[in-house]
Amino acid sequence: MAVQKDKIIIRGLSKTFYQKNKVVEVLKNINITVKENEFLVLLGPGQCGKTVLLNIMADLDKPTEGEVEFTDGRPEMGNLGIVFQRYALFPWKTVMGNVEVNQKFKGTPKEKRQQAAQKYIELVGLQGFENALPQALSGGMQQRVGIARAYATESDIMLLDEPFGALDAQTRYSMEDEILRMWEQDKRTVIFVTNNVEEAIYLGDRIILLGGHPTGVKKEYVPEMPRPRNYTDVAFLKLRNEIVNNTDLVL
Amino acid sequence: MNDKIRKVLYGLLSVSALALFVVGWVAVSHMEGTMLPTPPATFTRFIEVMSAPISKATLPVHIWVSLRRVLIAFVFAVTIGISLGIGLGWSAKFNAFFGPLFEIIRPIPPIAWIPMIIIWFGIGETAKIVIVFIGAFTSIVLNTSAGIRAIDPLLISAGKALGANRRQLLIDVAFPATIPAILAGIRTALSSGWMCVVAAEMIAARQGVGFLIVRGQESGDTALIVVCMLAIGIVSALLSTFLSKMEGVLCPWQFKKTK
Amino acid sequence: MGELMDNKKKDQKRQLLILTILGLVLFFGIWEIVVRVGIISERNLCTPTKVVQTLIYKLYNTKPDGSTLFVHFLSSIKLSLFGFILAVVVGVPLGLVMGYYKAMDSFFTPLFEVIRPIPPIAWIPIVILTLGIGFQAKVFIIFISAFVPCVVNSYLGIKLTDQTLIDVAQTYGATRWQIFTTICIPSSMNMVFTGVRVSLAASWSTLVAAEMLASTEGLGYMIQIGRNLIRPDIILVGMITIGIVGALMGWVLSLFEKKVAPWRY
C-alpha cells in the first residue's frame, strides 16, 4: 500500500465528566493517527467511551485535555459524515428528506441537493424508496438511509458509531459487505466504531483496541488479509483469538 | 367455532347493557314524582327544539353559537400557546423569566376565572372567548414545552452534526419532533375548551347550549336538559374523533402504521 | 479544571435566578402600578397589596360573603375529597376489571361510552332538579367528573400490559386471577396514577363550577359573590386559594405515589 498522509491526529486526549460530587474519568491520554482514506476500526467493549470519543471528534463534545487535529483544517459543523448507532433519522422526513437535509441546512437549492441525494440513495441501493417514511423501512434499510445521509455531506471523513449494532446477524453481515463496497467505490477516510471483534477484523485496514479504566489505547492490529476476508480463515481466527485475549471482559 | 360463540355472547352482553340502560331510564321516568323525562318525551322535545326557536335560536343554532366561540378561542390558544410552549421548552432564559409566572397561574382552574372575566369583559362574546382561551391555552403550553424538553437528544445531536444552525434546529428538528405532543395538548385543550364554553354559558349567556341547558333547569323542562346533555356529549365526541383523524393526517410517522 | 466548569454552571444558574426574580418583580410591580395610577380602574382590578390585605382580612372576617376563608375552604375540600375518593374507590377497580375481563368490557364499555363525552358540568342542571343543591347533589357531580378519568386510565393500564410478562407468568403456571393481581395490576399502576391525578384536578375544578352555580358556601360561591358585589379583591383571593389548594392536593398525591409506587421514581 502506498504511503498515506495523516488525516486526523488525536493527541493526548482525555475526557472527564463532573457530575454531582462525582468525577468520572472516561478517556485518558488517547493518541491516534488516522491516515487518509483508510478504514480504521476503533474496537472496544460497551460503555467504554467510544461514543464520547467520536462525539469529541465531531465537535459535539469538548475534550477535557488534548486535541483533535485535522490536517486539512477542522471541518465546519455539518461537514463531517456521521452515522449513529440508533440511526437518528428524522421520522417525519422521507428517505429523500433525510438524505438531503445536510445540503438543505447549507442552503443548497432544492433541485441540486435532491440530485446529489438521489446519487447517494442509489449508492446505498434504496432507489424506489425515496418517498417512504423511515418507519416503513426495516432496520437495515433505515441504516442505509443513515449512511446515505452521512455520504451526502460530501465529507471526506466518515464517522460510524456502531452503525450495525442494532441489526440482526444476517443483516449485519450483508451491511458489512455493503459498507466495504461503498468505501471501495467512493474512497473516504472511515472511522468505524464497534464492539464486535469479528466485524472489526472483517472490515478494518487497521484496528485500534481500546480498553482499561479509564479507557485508553491498548494495542493496534493490522489484519494482513486480502478482502473479502473469510470468517473461518485460519489467519482470521488467529487474530480473533489474539484480540479477544487482550480485551477487557465486560459482563 | 368456540371463538365465534364467544364473540356473539360478548356482543349480546353489549346489547343487553344498552337495553338495560334504556329499560332503567323508562322505569325511573315512570316512577311517581320523578323529574326524569321518558325516552319518548325526550325524543319529542328533541324534534321540537330542532325547529322551534328558544331565545331566537333552534338547537343547531345554539350548538353553532357555542362551537363558534370555541373555534375562535382556539385559533388564539393554539398560536399563542404553541409559541409560548416552544419558548419555555427551548430557551432556558425564557423559561426562567416566564416559567414561574405561568406556574403561578396554571393551577387555577379555568372555570374559576369566569367571575373575573365577566367583570373585565361583561357577558358578551369576548368574555366567553377569553374563558375558552384560558381553558385551552394551558394544556397546549404545557404539552408543547414538555414535548420540546422530551425530544430524543440524539435527534438534536444529529441535527447539529448535519450542520443545522440554532434556528434550523428549532424549525426543522425540534418543532416537527414536538408535533405529536402538541396534538395531544390540543386534544386535551379541545375537551377542556368545550367544557369551559358550556360552563361560561351556564353562568351568563343568551345563546349557546350551556344557556339552553340552564333554561331547561329554570323552567323545570327536564326533557330539554336531557336533550342538551346528549347534544353536548355528541359534539364533544365528534370533536375528539375529528382530532384523532387530524393526528393521522398531520403526523403519519407517529399515528399511522404504514407497514 | 473541574472547579472551573462548576463555576461556569453556577454563573449560569445565578443568571437564570436573576431572570426569574426579575420576571416576578416586573409582573407584580406593573400590576401594582397600573392599578395605583388608575390605568385600570379599581372596579376591574385591585392591587396585589390589596389582595394580600383582603386575604388576611378574610382569615378572620365573614363579610361580605358570609363565611371566613377557612370555612369556605373546609366546605369545598370536604366535598371534593368525598367525591374524589368515592370515584377512585369505584372507578379504578371497575376500570381494571373492564380491562382484564372481556365480559365486563363488553357490558360496561357501551354504557360508559354514552356517559363519557358529557362534560360533568352539563350534569349540574339535572342533578339540581332531581337531588337539589345539597351535599349529595354536589358529591354526585364531583363523582362523575373524577370517575371518568379513573376508569379510562385503569382500563388502558391493563390493556397496555406487556404481553411478554403475561406469557412468562403463564408458562410458570399462574392462574388467570394470579396473572391479573400479580402482573397486570402492578404494571398498570403508572396509568392508574395518571388517571387519579387527572381525576383530582377534574374534581377540584368541577367543584368550583358547582359551587358557582348552586351553593351558599365554598370557594366557588365566594368568587361568585365577589363578582355580584364587584369586588375584584374577593374574587382574586378566592382564585388564589383555589389555585393553591389544587396545587397542594396534587403535591400530596405525588408524595403518596412515591410511597405506593416507588418504581416510578
Side-chain angles (χ1 to χ4, degrees):
Chain A
M1 217 175 266
V3 180
Q4 294 159 307
K5 78 164 200 178
D6 292 349
K7 188 76 179 168
I8 307 169
I9 304 163
I10 302 174
R11 280 196 204 91
L13 190 121
S14 298
K15 176 71 184 177
T16 308
F17 286 103
Y18 299 93
Q19 287 158 344
K20 266 186 193 165
N21 51 50
K22 215 170 86 185
V23 178
V24 189
E25 225 179 341
V26 183
L27 303 174
K28 184 143 189 179
N29 193 25
I30 300 219
N31 293 289
I32 299 173
T33 304
V34 187
K35 307 271 184 203
E36 185 165 43
N37 288 345
E38 79 167 329
F39 199 118
L40 179 74
V41 174
L42 298 179
L43 175 65
Q47 308 292 321
C48 79
K50 297 175 303 236
T51 301
V52 176
L53 178 58
L54 222 56
N55 281 349
I56 292 173
M57 293 175 79
D59 205 20
L60 290 168
D61 208 340
K62 298 265 174 271
T64 315
E65 275 170 56
E67 58 162 0
V68 179
E69 188 200 322
F70 290 78
T71 52
D72 299 330
R74 167 168 273 297
E76 273 177 47
M77 218 35 154
N79 286 345
L80 259 183
I82 304 182
V83 179
F84 298 87
Q85 179 181 6
R86 287 190 291 127
Y87 319 143
L89 301 178
F90 301 120
W92 53 87
K93 285 191 191 293
T94 59
V95 169
M96 174 57 86
N98 269 286
V99 177
E100 68 167 352
V101 75
N102 167 260
Q103 297 296 327
K104 188 180 166 197
F105 287 151
K106 286 178 184 160
T108 312
K110 191 168 178 174
E111 199 160 314
K112 208 176 147 208
R113 69 178 189 239
Q114 292 208 337
Q115 245 170 23
Q118 188 63 39
K119 187 176 103 197
Y120 292 109
I121 289 174
E122 278 162 25
L123 178 69
V124 298
L126 279 180
Q127 55 271 41
F129 290 95
E130 288 83 355
N131 294 320
L133 287 174
Q135 61 146 17
L137 305 177
S138 68
M141 286 161 93
Q142 289 191 33
Q143 193 56 298
R144 285 167 195 257
V145 180
I147 292 166
R149 184 174 71 176
Y151 263 82
T153 57
E154 306 282 3
S155 160
D156 55 355
I157 299 169
M158 302 281 288
L159 307 177
L160 295 92
D161 184 8
E162 297 193 34
F164 310 142
L167 301 177
D168 60 75
Q170 285 310 315
T171 316
R172 193 171 183 148
Y173 292 139
S174 69
M175 289 297 285
E176 286 166 15
D177 287 332
E178 282 286 286
I179 197 80
L180 280 179
R181 177 184 64 76
M182 286 178 231
W183 175 68
E184 303 276 1
Q185 196 178 326
D186 184 351
K187 274 264 163 88
R188 300 183 185 192
T189 308
V190 172
I191 297 155
F192 187 104
V193 169
T194 183
N195 58 15
N196 185 311
V197 181
E198 285 87 356
E199 186 169 79
I201 302 172
Y202 190 73
L203 296 175
D205 281 338
R206 255 188 331 144
I207 299 165
I208 303 226
L209 180 66
L210 300 171
H213 296 283
T215 300
V217 174
K218 285 191 95 165
K219 212 167 155 123
E220 185 187 315
Y221 299 92
V222 181
E224 308 264 4
M225 289 170 254
R227 292 192 178 93
R229 293 171 186 161
N230 189 337
Y231 282 97
T232 50
D233 202 59
V234 178
F236 193 105
L237 291 173
K238 212 178 135 218
L239 184 56
R240 179 184 175 278
N241 277 342
E242 200 184 325
I243 296 179
V244 167
N245 290 333
N246 228 334
T247 305
D248 306 331
L249 278 182
V250 179
L251 290 177
Chain B
M1 199 58 205
N2 218 340
D3 276 0
K4 235 180 193 170
I5 295 176
R6 235 166 222 235
K7 232 179 194 171
V8 172
L9 277 179
Y10 288 142
L12 277 178
L13 264 177
S14 302
V15 175
S16 63
L18 289 175
L20 217 71
F21 175 75
V22 174
V23 169
W25 181 359
V26 170
V28 174
S29 60
H30 281 91
M31 282 196 303
E32 197 91 19
T34 183
M35 299 291 288
L36 207 65
T38 60
T42 309
F43 186 72
T44 320
R45 193 74 183 108
F46 167 71
I47 298 293
E48 275 170 26
V49 289
M50 283 305 279
S51 51
I54 298 174
S55 183
K56 294 186 205 148
T58 58
L59 180 64
V61 176
H62 282 296
I63 292 176
W64 169 239
V65 167
S66 303
L67 262 183
R68 215 184 55 140
R69 289 170 179 155
V70 172
L71 293 180
I72 294 173
F74 235 68
V75 172
F76 291 100
V78 167
T79 39
I80 300 177
I82 292 178
S83 326
L84 189 62
I86 288 176
L88 291 176
W90 190 243
S91 151
K93 285 182 185 163
F94 191 89
N95 185 46
F97 191 83
F98 287 104
L101 291 174
F102 181 67
E103 287 302 315
I104 290 176
I105 294 170
R106 185 167 76 92
I108 301 172
I111 290 173
W113 280 89
I114 293 178
M116 207 68 213
I117 300 296
I118 291 179
I119 286 193
W120 287 344
F121 298 97
I123 60 164
E125 285 305 298
T126 323
K128 263 135 229 140
I129 289 165
V130 171
I131 289 162
V132 177
F133 171 82
I134 293 174
F137 168 75
T138 338
S139 59
I140 295 177
V141 174
L142 273 182
N143 275 277
T144 309
S145 61
I148 292 246
R149 290 192 192 109
I151 296 175
D152 186 350
L154 188 67
L155 283 185
I156 299 289
S157 289
K160 277 188 199 159
L162 286 160
N165 59 34
R166 205 164 150 75
R167 194 179 53 86
Q168 288 166 330
L169 209 54
L170 179 62
I171 295 171
D172 278 305
V173 181
F175 183 68
T178 313
I179 290 178
I182 294 177
L183 286 175
I186 288 180
R187 189 198 271 271
T188 319
L190 196 56
S191 74
S192 150
W194 182 240
M195 182 174 104
C196 286
V197 87
V198 172
E201 288 169 352
M202 283 169 77
I203 287 164
R206 283 183 217 94
Q207 276 189 346
V209 271
F211 155 82
L212 205 59
I213 201 169
V214 168
R215 167 62 68 89
Q217 180 195 335
E218 282 161 356
S219 55
D221 185 350
T222 48
L224 181 59
I225 296 181
V226 174
V227 167
C228 288
M229 283 173 70
L230 292 177
I232 291 167
I234 289 167
V235 170
S236 156
L238 286 179
L239 286 178
S240 78
T241 319
F242 171 71
L243 259 192
S244 10
K245 287 265 177 330
M246 287 295 287
E247 283 173 349
V249 174
L250 283 178
C251 42
W253 70 91
Q254 184 82 11
F255 295 98
K256 208 166 58 193
K257 291 271 167 269
T258 26
K259 223 177 178 178
Chain C
M1 199 71 184
E3 246 169 62
L4 253 170
M5 283 191 160
D6 278 348
N7 275 342
K8 204 177 158 194
K9 252 185 203 165
K10 261 183 208 156
D11 273 1
Q12 225 165 6
K13 263 193 183 159
R14 196 170 307 141
Q15 203 186 0
L16 292 182
L17 185 70
I18 292 171
L19 272 173
T20 300
I21 295 169
L22 194 71
L24 292 172
V25 167
L26 273 178
F27 176 75
F28 287 107
I30 290 175
W31 176 1
E32 180 87 27
I33 290 167
V34 150
V35 179
R36 288 233 164 185
V37 173
I39 299 173
I40 295 180
S41 117
E42 294 250 9
R43 275 175 66 85
N44 285 332
L45 193 66
C46 65
T47 59
T49 38
K50 173 84 182 175
V51 173
V52 176
Q53 277 168 12
T54 309
L55 179 71
I56 294 165
Y57 174 85
K58 280 303 297 171
L59 290 178
Y60 304 102
N61 291 282
T62 55
K63 276 179 202 160
D65 43 282
S67 312
T68 60
L69 189 61
F70 188 68
V71 171
H72 284 309
F73 159 75
L74 217 59
S75 151
S76 297
I77 195 110
K78 208 171 59 188
L79 272 167
S80 92
L81 283 184
F82 201 86
F84 164 70
I85 290 170
L86 201 64
V88 171
V89 169
V90 180
V92 170
L94 181 66
L96 293 175
V97 167
M98 272 167 65
Y100 194 64
Y101 292 105
K102 194 84 195 2
M104 299 298 268
D105 192 357
S106 337
F107 187 80
F108 282 107
T109 301
L111 288 180
F112 189 69
E113 286 302 321
V114 173
I115 296 171
R116 177 158 99 132
I118 302 174
I121 290 173
W123 283 86
I124 294 177
I126 195 94
V127 170
I128 289 177
L129 283 181
T130 49
L131 296 175
I133 64 162
F135 186 76
Q136 264 186 350
K138 268 172 236 136
V139 167
F140 181 76
I141 290 163
I142 293 156
F143 172 81
I144 290 180
S145 74
F147 177 69
V148 173
C150 278
V151 175
V152 172
N153 281 276
S154 311
Y155 178 86
L156 275 179
I158 293 284
K159 289 276 178 206
L160 291 177
T161 309
D162 188 350
Q163 187 60 39
T164 334
L165 293 181
I166 297 178
D167 291 344
V168 168
Q170 236 160 12
T171 47
Y172 285 148
T175 62
R176 249 176 95 59
W177 176 252
Q178 280 171 332
I179 292 177
F180 181 48
T181 51
T182 58
I183 308 287
C184 295
I185 292 183
S187 82
S188 68
M189 273 305 135
N190 227 337
M191 287 296 286
V192 170
F193 270 114
T194 311
V196 169
R197 183 172 287 280
V198 177
S199 283
L200 186 68
S203 68
W204 188 237
S205 116
T206 308
L207 170 83
V208 172
E211 284 176 343
M212 283 168 70
L213 284 163
S215 195
T216 50
E217 57 178 1
L219 295 165
Y221 170 74
M222 177 177 162
I223 58 175
Q224 188 67 353
I225 291 292
R227 177 198 135 197
N228 290 342
L229 300 174
I230 315 185
R231 284 282 301 271
D233 54 331
I234 295 282
I235 301 180
L236 283 170
V237 168
M239 282 170 68
I240 290 166
T241 316
I242 290 167
I244 290 174
V245 174
L248 278 181
M249 288 198 298
W251 180 69
V252 171
L253 185 66
S254 68
L255 287 187
F256 181 71
E257 272 179 67
K258 272 181 206 172
K259 272 257 152 65
V260 180
W263 63 88
R264 279 191 70 181
Y265 297 89

